[in-house]
Amino acid sequence: MNFENLQITIENGCGIITINRPKKLNALNIETIEELHDAFETLDANNAVKTIIITGSGEKAFVAGADISEFAHFSVDEGEDLARNGQEILFDFVENLSTPVIAAVNGFALGGGLELAMASHFRIASDNAKMGLPEVSLGVIPGYGGTQRLAQLVGKGRAMEMVMTAGMISAEEANNFGLVNHVTTQEELLPLALKIASKISRNSTVAISSAIKAINANYKDGVNGFETEISEFGNCFGTEDFKEGTTAFLEKRRADFPGK
Ligand code: COA
């Protein structure tokens, strides 16, 4: 995988995607969004990859937002297309990926950067991270799912305040809000993400992908999450992973999941 704006490595079954535009604080231009789609799709299709970590290069930023220079002169229709296409190819795509995605937020996560972190399955942050949705300070609103996912993650009142003030919160505040699950030093961020990824990778990938579908179902209009859970639960009984997991338990050994 060769990308202009991304670096990809695979460590112990974990695909690490590093957004690499440090001079622009890793801002998401359209090319980077398309490359991210391809990178997530390729890693998701690789059976050797059990988890994915998304992070930013440099010590300053995860992602400082969508690339403002690209959309500053857009029309109403172009603005709508930008949001629709971005949501479809990256933000919704990541949220619904069957491989678990952990965002390792290593600095500024603003606008589209926080939206990318929020589309990931969960987030951890370094103690220098700063998070916010500053779009209204530019005369626009979050367009990559931010108004929906921030309210889901931190509650409506906090989301309203963060969006209206266009302010940034610290990693500690984000932790208190439940926006990130853990805060650590910048040096320990990737090791912690890899440690959590390794814990996840011991479990059934098929069951994890069912769990992602069931949890996400609660946040989709017109979908009954309990029904999705029942049907995904049933599907697990037809998998080789289920046979291996239950057999290993009864034989008092560690399961070796085939991932099927
Ligand atoms: N889009 C395009 N370029 C961006 C960017 C973005 N979202 N965020 C940062 N950059 C660029 C800057 O223009 C600058 O480029 P230059 O050196 O060619 O002038 C470079 O990244 C470094 O940013 P700079 O503003 O000089 O760093 P700073 O430390 O003074 O400030 C921020 C850091 C994050 C506070 C500031 O860059 C910022 O407010 N960025 C925009 C955040 C935003 O509104 N995001 C939502 C977009 S919808």
Side-chain angles (χ1 to χ4, degrees):
M1 281 183 279
N2 276 329
F3 295 109
E4 195 62 34
N5 306 307
L6 308 178
Q7 289 167 348
I8 315 285
T9 54
I10 298 178
E11 267 184 54
N12 296 328
C14 179
I16 304 172
I17 303 177
T18 306
I19 302 173
N20 189 31
R21 295 182 81 211
K23 287 192 181 138
K24 294 289 173 192
L25 302 185
N26 304 320
L28 294 179
N29 58 357
I30 290 167
E31 186 184 44
T32 306
I33 288 180
E34 287 170 356
E35 287 190 351
L36 280 166
H37 171 88
D38 293 345
F40 277 110
E41 189 172 53
T42 307
L43 290 172
D44 187 50
N46 182 341
N47 286 339
V49 173
K50 312 275 188 217
T51 54
I52 299 173
I53 293 170
I54 172 87
T55 193
S57 75
E59 291 179 357
K60 206 167 159 183
F62 172 71
V63 171
D67 193 320
I68 299 166
S69 66
E70 271 192 350
F71 63 72
H73 306 293
F74 273 13
S75 66
V76 170
D77 286 347
E78 287 171 319
E80 193 174 323
D81 284 349
L82 182 74
R84 193 180 304 286
N85 293 339
Q87 289 198 18
E88 190 183 317
I89 71 167
L90 183 57
F91 299 84
D92 292 354
F93 188 74
V94 167
E95 182 172 71
N96 294 308
L97 211 69
S98 48
T99 307
V101 180
I102 306 170
V105 179
N106 58 313
F108 288 115
L110 302 175
L114 181 55
E115 289 173 303
L116 179 59
M118 291 193 295
S120 303
H121 296 126
F122 61 91
R123 294 139 292 283
I124 66 172
S126 56
D127 47 21
N128 67 321
K130 292 234 179 294
M131 283 160 254
L133 293 178
E135 285 86 348
V136 298
S137 71
L138 299 166
V140 67
I141 66 165
Y144 288 146
T147 61
Q148 306 305 296
R149 293 192 181 99
L150 186 62
Q152 289 166 359
L153 286 163
V154 306
K156 187 174 167 186
R158 283 174 176 149
M160 286 281 189
E161 184 178 340
M162 281 179 69
V163 170
M164 288 176 191
T165 60
M168 294 183 209
I169 58 169
S170 66
E172 196 188 321
E173 281 173 290
N175 198 12
N176 292 338
F177 283 7
L179 185 54
V180 302
N181 293 5
H182 307 277
V183 177
T184 185
T185 61
Q186 197 153 44
E187 300 72 50
E188 283 303 314
L189 184 65
L190 213 50
L192 175 61
L194 283 163
K195 192 171 156 195
I196 299 170
S198 153
K199 211 168 167 183
I200 293 171
S201 69
R202 283 181 224 144
N203 301 315
S204 158
T205 49
V206 189
I208 286 172
S209 114
S210 281
I212 291 171
K213 276 191 209 142
I215 293 171
N216 278 343
N218 184 45
Y219 301 93
K220 293 190 197 300
D221 275 347
V223 174
N224 183 321
F226 289 97
E227 276 306 320
T228 306
E229 181 180 287
I230 289 166
S231 124
E232 290 297 329
F233 179 81
N235 286 343
C236 291
F237 285 71
T239 68
E240 290 182 31
D241 276 12
F242 175 73
K243 283 189 189 69
E244 168 60 11
T246 47
T247 306
F249 177 81
L250 296 172
E251 290 175 356
K252 300 192 186 303
R253 62 173 172 83
R254 194 164 148 173
D256 181 15
F257 290 110
K260 287 189 243 175

